[in-house]
Amino acid sequence: MNRQADVRSSLIKMLWHRSEEDDIPGLSAQLAYFFLLSLFPLLIVIFTLIPYLPIPHEDVLGAIRAFAPPDTMDLIERNVNDIMNNRNGGLLSIGIIGTMWSASNGINAIVKAFNKAYNVKESRSFIVSRGMAILLTFGMILVFIVALILPIFGREIGLFLFSQFGFTDEFIQVWNMSRLLVSALILFLIFTGLYWIAPNIKLRCRSAIPGAAFASVGWILSSFGLSFFVGNITNYSLTYGSIGAIIVLMIWLYISAFIIILGGEINAYYSEKNKQNC
C-alpha cells in the first residue's frame, strides 16, 4: 500500500512539475485552437460519408450530444446543417483532400505536444508527419463510423434474439445502460492508437494504455461535469448572448486538450520509469 501511495505521489509531483516545465496550460490553449479549426472540417468529412453508410444523420449528432455541453451542441448542429445544406456538390472529390488537410491540424498539434512530453524532436519529414496525421484522422473517422454502425446492427440483432425468449423490454434497458460503456471503449481505443503512434519514439502498444485509460475516464467525466455546470448552474448564452456558445465550446476543447496532453505526460513518465528499472 505504501509503495502504491509513493507511486501516486511521485506521479502527481511529476505532473505538477511537467505542467510548468512543458507549459501544459499554454499547449492546451494552442491545441484547443487547432481543435476548433479541425472540428467542422472533420464533421464535414463524416457527414459526407454518411449517405453511403447505413447510419441515420441523427445518430452522428446523437453521439456528439451525449458528451457536448448544451450550448455547444446547438452551435455544432446549426453550423453543420448550414454547411451541408449549402455545399456545392461532390465533397468526395478534390475538396475532401483539403478538408482532410484542415481536419488533420488537430492531430498534428497533438503529435507536437506528445514529442515535448517525451523530450524528443520531430525528425520525420514534413510529408511523413503530415501524412501520418491525415492517416490518424482517417483512422479516427473509421473508428467513429464503426462505433455508430455496431450499435445499429447490435440493437437489431439483440432485439431479434431476445424477442425469441420474450425479453425485449429487458434487452432495451440493458442496451441503454451499455451504450456508455461501448462509447468509453471506443474512446479508449482511439486514445491508445494516438498515444502509441503519434510520438516520434518507438513504443510498445501496452505503454500507451495508462495515458489512454486516464484520458478516456477524464474526458468523459469532465465532459459530463461541464455539461451539468452549463446546463444547471450557469447560462453563458444569457450572459454573453450568441457568443456564449463559442465560449463554452472553447472551454470544452481546452479541457479536452489539457486531459489529452496529461495522458501523454503520464505515458512519458512510465516510459522513463521503465527505462530506469531496466
Side-chain angles (χ1 to χ4, degrees):
M1 290 291 291
N2 290 334
R3 188 163 177 244
Q4 291 179 349
D6 291 340
V7 171
R8 284 195 295 267
S9 176
S10 61
L11 176 60
I12 293 172
K13 289 179 181 178
M14 180 280 299
L15 290 176
W16 183 267
H17 175 71
R18 288 284 189 97
S19 178
E20 297 180 350
E21 187 180 72
D22 291 348
D23 189 22
I24 293 180
L27 282 176
S28 301
Q30 295 178 36
L31 195 54
Y33 170 75
F34 284 111
F35 280 168
L36 181 62
L37 293 181
S38 305
L39 177 61
F40 291 104
L42 186 63
L43 290 176
I44 289 172
V45 175
I46 293 174
F47 279 98
T48 303
L49 295 173
I50 290 302
Y52 302 92
L53 299 167
I55 305 174
H57 173 99
E58 295 76 14
D59 282 3
V60 179
L61 293 175
I64 303 172
R65 190 181 295 109
F67 301 100
D71 290 346
T72 295
M73 194 60 226
D74 293 338
L75 176 68
I76 292 173
E77 283 190 53
R78 187 166 59 251
N79 282 275
V80 166
N81 288 330
D82 288 344
I83 292 170
M84 299 309 295
N85 290 334
N86 298 323
R87 62 181 179 171
N88 297 320
L91 275 179
L92 280 178
S93 57
I94 299 176
I96 199 172
I97 299 175
T99 303
M100 283 303 302
W101 184 275
S102 299
S104 66
N105 283 331
I107 299 295
N108 203 40
I110 289 176
V111 171
K112 294 179 180 178
F114 290 172
N115 285 341
K116 194 164 188 177
Y118 284 95
N119 292 317
V120 295
K121 293 184 178 180
E122 184 57 66
S123 61
R124 295 167 291 197
S125 67
F126 173 79
I127 295 176
V128 171
S129 59
R130 177 60 73 161
M132 181 191 67
I134 292 175
L135 288 175
L136 282 173
T137 305
F138 264 120
M140 290 178 61
I141 292 173
L142 289 175
V143 172
F144 183 74
I145 289 174
V146 169
L148 292 173
I149 290 177
L150 285 179
I152 294 172
F153 289 105
R155 187 175 188 274
E156 294 302 320
I157 293 172
L159 283 173
F160 172 76
L161 293 177
F162 274 69
S163 63
Q164 303 301 313
F165 301 98
F167 298 146
T168 306
D169 293 337
E170 288 81 354
F171 168 76
I172 292 176
Q173 294 176 2
V174 173
W175 178 256
N176 290 334
M177 292 174 60
S178 66
R179 291 187 69 179
L180 181 59
L181 295 176
V182 173
S183 299
L185 178 60
I186 296 298
L187 195 63
F188 173 76
L189 293 176
I190 292 174
F191 281 135
T192 301
L194 279 177
Y195 289 128
W196 178 33
I197 299 172
N200 187 28
I201 185 173
K202 190 174 182 179
L203 299 169
R204 294 181 177 179
C205 183
R206 66 183 182 185
S207 65
I209 291 177
F214 168 82
S216 301
V217 175
W219 188 78
I220 290 174
L221 292 179
S222 64
S223 296
F224 283 153
L226 182 61
S227 295
F228 178 81
F229 180 78
V230 172
N232 298 278
I233 297 177
T234 187
N235 190 326
Y236 281 87
S237 295
L238 187 63
T239 306
Y240 298 102
S242 59
I243 201 175
I246 299 176
I247 293 175
V248 175
L249 175 60
M250 286 304 299
I251 293 174
W252 185 42
L253 294 178
Y254 178 83
I255 293 173
S256 301
F258 195 91
I259 290 172
I260 290 172
I261 295 175
L262 274 185
E265 295 285 357
I266 290 173
N267 286 339
Y269 166 78
Y270 282 113
S271 179
E272 291 176 6
K273 198 173 183 65
N274 290 335
K275 286 181 180 179
Q276 292 173 1
N277 294 333
C278 291

